[in-house]
Structure formats: C-alpha cells, structure tokens
DNA sequence: TTGCTCCCGTGACAGAAGTCATAGCTGCTG
DNA sequence: CAGCAGCTATGACTTCTGTCACGGGAGCAA
C-alpha cells in the first residue's frame, strides 16, 4: 500500500518526459527507490565539482543551474521547473557535476541514486532514448547560449531575454505584453552573462527608446513586434 | 565475405567508444548498414539547420563543428578526429543539426541512418549508455566554452588554448614545449570566439612578455608553468 | 618578372563592457 | 519614527573588443 507521499510522487513521475513510457509496475519500482528532499529558496542542491550522486526530478519549485566565476559573477545555464529532470548527464559519464544547482523558490525534488537509474536504463532502453532526447534539448540550449555570448551584445541578449519572458510568462493584449520581471537585476544579468549595472542601463535605454516601460519590476512591452525587430538591428 | 573496404571500416568501428561493447555479429550488421563518404578539405558535411539524416563516425581526417554568425564570424564548438562520432544528438531528438560540420583536412566518414542507429540502441541498451557517456563529455566541453566566454578575456582564452594545444600536440622538452599552430589566426580566433586581429595582437603581446616565441607558425613555450600561471592573473 | 591571392601585423578609432563610487528608493523591524 | 538592508539608477572612468584601413611578405601561376 503506497503512502500518501508516494502516491503524490507517482503523479509527478508520470508527468516526467523521461519516464513517460513505463508500466505501472515500473513506476512502483521507481517510487519505492526514490528519496524526496525539500530545499528552501536559495539553498544549494549540489555544487560544481561535487561527485555525482544521482538524478533529480523537480517536483515543485524552480531550480537554477549555474556556473560561478572566481570574481563572484554567475552565468545561468538553465532554469527548470516541475517535471524536469536535472543532472541526467553526469549520472552516466561518471564525472562530477559541471555546474551548481540551487533552489530558486522553496522546492521539492525527487532523487534517484546513480545505480538505480542506470539499472532502469539497461532494463528499459526506451528510458535511455528518452534521456537522450531530453539531453538533446539541453545541448541545443547550451549551443544557443554560446552563440549569443560569442556573437551578440548585452543589449541584444537582454532584448532576447525579454522577448522570451514575454512569450512564456507574459500576459498578452494584442501586440502588447505585460509581465513581472523574475528576479532582480543581478539575476537577469546572470542569465545573459553580464553584470547588474549593464542590465540597469540597458533597461533604461530601452525605456527611453519607447520599446519597453518598467515600473517597480513590472514590465510592459507596448509592441512585441517592434522589440523583436530590434534583435536584427543590434546584430543577430 | 566482406569487401576490403568493409574490413577496413570494421577496424575503425571497433575503436569507436560508443560501439566498444558489441559482438562480431553486431559489427557485421553495422558494416553492412554503413555508407562511406569522402570529403575534401574545407568541404561542408552538413549545415546548421539541415534536417538530421543520421550519425557520422570519423574514419580519417578531422572535422570541425561550428556556428556562424550573420556577420560572417565563426565559433568552433569542437574538433573531432578519427574514432569520434558526430551529431549523436539530433539523431535522437529529431530536430535539425544545431551547428555546421566541415572537414578540416581531407576526410573519410562513415554514415549510419537514423533508423538503423535507433534500432541498434533499442536492441543494445549498452550502446545507448555509451552514447550518453560520450555526450556527457561533449556537454562538459560546451559548458566550459560558456564559462570562458562569459567570465574571461580574449587574452585568457588564447593562453588557455595554447596551453591545451601544447599539452596535446606539442613536443615536450622539460618545461618547454614546441608546436605548430593548427590553422591560421582566423581559425584560432574562431576557436576562442573573437577575430583574427585580436589573436595577432595578443600573440605579439605574449611574445613581447617572453611567454611565447612565434616564428612562421612555429610556436615555442619556454615555460609551460609560467604560461599557465598567467591564467590566474588574467582573471580565471 | 609581374601580378595575384592569401595571410599577417599594426595603427587609429569607435563603441561596448565592466568597475567604482554615490545617491536615493522601498520595505521591514524594532 | 529611526535605522537598517537590499536594490536601483547613474555618472565617471578604464579597459577590452571589434572594425577599418593599410603595408608588406610568402607562395603560386602565367
């Protein structure tokens, strides 16, 4: 008889892409082999360089994967919400975690040990293929970050970020979009590979150009089209 | 009875990490399902955005994976030699190639269609796990590139490149290393995400600082230690 | 030899990026 | 309310990066 907690975890597991082809029995195996852990907002889940213990699945909250520099700067690699798996890769190649993971908000994660997960993959090639597919997306995102860092300016990356945020989290009203900026300027800076001052300046400039309107972390994009057009202009 | 060509291919396949756990029979399957293609130096193997046809294995020569910008700049993501597989990922996630591939020197590649390769992975979970391991390395390299682009200067990245080249391709003589620079300044620039002029200038400066000695593409590093020490100094 | 092409090295410059310091705002807590 | 912590905005400045333009050398072919 599953506990309440296990039943709840099960529902999450079924929504995780890499597990989507398993049978009830296999889910039972998973639920009985997972550990659930809670993290407070800001808490570190694992640090860059730590030996890889296993695979995590986000059950609730958001997790930030990032690198940090000696000088204290950070570069965000991805932000993952419920249903996403994290650290799929080091589980397989045996190396250490290449980046750190941190809970953005209070979060609950499910954890599988390397052994259990590898065993599952050997028994169920489908799972391995799913993992490959998920990792494909991850790799594409990384390549995209490299492209932006290598070829574009801070202004361009900031606009691209705002456009992305607008499309995902914004409230649409014709060609206009309203949204609340997720995190402070330092956080936005970490996401586009720069420092907080440049985010501040560029936001001001975009506002003075009439492309956006910012007020106390509320952002309005009067015309998404016009903003996107700027992407071409600033060297994409 | 295998043809000569098939026999030769077989030898290569056995040295490919992702195939290292297969039986003779399975190798026979592979050799009978592969296509061999030759590319001249500089020839494009596939372009960014092309639909993914299948998986390649480098038999001879070197292959450069890179992104290009609208402005004509390039950013190298990796350079792979004999025994390396290329484009393992888009084979699985069904998307297009995220970057272009080009033969650096005259090269021979082996090609497997998506279908054949996926079938192989389903039959042999070991292969899928190997692929995951290989991709793990790839992902680590990409994260490393992001880190360098985001946190360090051109000078730093150039030194890091020289140190890497020295360790891999150089001739060692105590703490001194001699090597021939692979490619012209534009190519070096593409590998560290900048332009040829900055490579030229920084090489000159390193020379005037006595850290390196360049003469007609021959590079000498009098002291690898001293050069590596500069990595800390220039903000690593 | 002449001419051509490709590449290297450099100076001059413009713009982008990053650092530092300062002033002001917001919201919380005692 | 006073005081504090954290964040934002902005000016001044330095350094880094990238572009453009030019001269010159190496190699090749006619």
């Amino acid at each position: 008889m599953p506990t309440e907690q296990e039943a709840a975890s099960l529902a999450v597991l079924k929504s995780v892409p890499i597990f989507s082809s398993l049978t009830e029995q296999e889910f039972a195996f998973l639920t009985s082999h997972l550990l659930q852990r809670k993290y407070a907002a800001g808490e570190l889940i694992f640090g860059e360089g730590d030996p890889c213990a296993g695979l995590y699945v986000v059950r609730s909250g958001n997790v930030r994967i990032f690198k940090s520099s000696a000088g204290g700067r950070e570069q965000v690699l991805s932000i993952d919400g419920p249903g996403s798996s994290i650290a799929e890769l080091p589980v397989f190649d045996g190396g250490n975690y290449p980046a750190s993971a941190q809970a953005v908000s209070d979060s609950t994660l499910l954890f599988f040990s390397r052994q259990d997960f590898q065993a599952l993959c050997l028994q169920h090639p489908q799972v391995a293929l799913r993992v490959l597919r998920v990792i494909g997306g991850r790799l594409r995102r990384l390549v995209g970050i490299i492209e932006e860092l290598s070829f574009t300016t801070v202004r361009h990356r900031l606009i691209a970020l705002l456009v992305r945020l607008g499309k995902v989290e914004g409230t649409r009203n014709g060609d206009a979009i309203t949204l609340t900026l997720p995190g402070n300027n330092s956080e936005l800076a970490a996401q586009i590979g720069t420092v907080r001052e440049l985010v501040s300046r560029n936001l001001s400039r975009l506002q003075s150009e009439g492309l956006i309107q910012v007020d106390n972390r509320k952002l309005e994009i009067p015309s998404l089209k016009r903003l996107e057009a700027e992407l071409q202009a600033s060297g994409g």
Side-chain angles (χ1 to χ4, degrees), chain A residues 38-214:
Chain A
K38 287 177 181 291
Y39 298 86
E43 193 175 343
L44 201 66
I45 297 164
F46 52 77
E48 177 181 345
D50 291 355
C52 172
L55 174 103
Y56 293 85
V57 167
V58 181
R59 179 171 161 182
S60 70
N62 284 291
V63 173
R64 196 171 91 109
I65 313 287
F66 66 101
K67 291 283 274 187
S68 21
S69 82
R73 271 175 60 187
E74 295 184 344
Q75 168 72 53
V76 171
L77 300 179
S78 90
I79 292 189
D80 297 292
S84 299
S85 43
I86 314 187
E88 312 90 355
L89 255 168
V91 165
F92 292 100
D93 76 353
N96 300 339
Y97 294 117
S100 307
Q102 179 187 34
V104 175
S105 47
D106 290 352
S107 305
T108 307
L109 306 199
L110 308 177
F111 174 82
F112 303 88
S113 76
R114 276 185 66 189
Q115 286 76 20
D116 289 348
F117 189 59
Q118 288 202 359
L120 182 74
C121 287
L122 281 175
Q123 277 186 322
H124 302 281
Q126 292 285 0
V127 173
L129 287 190
R130 299 273 178 182
V131 172
L132 279 166
R133 180 179 291 230
V134 168
I135 290 176
R138 212 170 265 288
L139 192 127
R140 278 169 207 281
R141 233 173 305 147
L142 292 185
V143 171
I145 293 177
I146 291 176
E147 183 177 16
E148 290 203 322
L149 287 175
S150 188
F151 298 146
T152 78
T153 63
V154 167
R155 176 184 166 90
H156 181 105
R157 303 202 291 275
L158 180 59
I159 295 176
L161 175 63
L162 295 181
V163 167
R164 234 175 298 143
L165 287 174
K167 287 181 176 169
V168 178
E169 309 190 359
T171 307
R172 199 132 192 164
N173 182 3
D175 195 30
I177 291 186
T178 322
L179 72 143
T180 302
L181 289 176
N184 58 28
N185 285 355
S186 291
E187 174 57 24
L188 298 184
Q191 293 187 28
I192 62 176
T194 184
V195 295
R196 92 192 154 71
E197 288 96 329
L198 286 197
V199 169
S200 177
R201 267 195 247 283
N202 276 282
L203 284 176
S204 299
R205 176 146 172 241
L206 289 175
Q207 176 152 18
S208 77
E209 292 170 334
L211 290 167
I212 62 172
Q213 191 72 30
V214 205

